Amino acid sequence: QVQLVESGGGLVQPGGSLRLSCVASGLIFSIHHMHWYRQTPGKERELVAFMTSGGSTGYSDSVKGRFTISRDNAKNTVYLQMNSLKPEDTAVYYCNAKYNVISYWGKGTLVTVSS
């Protein structure tokens, strides 16, 4: 059974940092492209960052230069380092693993940016 478990969310002040982690099990992690999405109430889920199995990365314009995605295949873990956080970064952040047409989701972790 495939599981993706996110952690690291919480309350942080504007300008602060958080690092999210997503631990995967039940799949061959190294061959999966990994993604971080986020969602706020009433809005569609938004792709924030991705890292392919080969190590290529991409970011949404809204987080480029502030967020960094990385992965540790030995630990079956993908990370999202979030710096210079803004109130508009407040959302539930979801981890996604994709291989061909098969996609798996975590349950999300809440990030709240507020003073």
Side-chain angles (χ1 to χ4, degrees), residues 34-81:
M34 300 302 298
H35 310 77
W36 285 99
Y37 285 78
R38 67 185 181 188
Q39 189 170 25
T40 54
K43 291 190 176 181
E44 290 190 2
R45 201 165 288 190
E46 170 195 20
L47 177 63
V48 173
F50 70 86
M51 178 173 264
T52 68
S53 58
S56 298
T57 60
Y59 300 90
S60 68
D61 287 342
S62 60
V63 307
K64 200 172 294 182
R66 299 188 297 122
F67 290 11
T68 303
I69 189 171
S70 60
R71 65 191 293 165
D72 185 338
N73 288 342
K75 295 182 178 180
N76 284 8
T77 302
V78 62
Y79 304 96
L80 185 68
Q81 178 66 44

Side-chain angles (χ1 to χ4, degrees), residues 90-102:
T90 295
V92 178
Y93 284 72
Y94 296 91
C95 176
N96 169 269
K98 194 173 298 182
Y99 179 70
N100 288 340
V101 298
I102 301 174

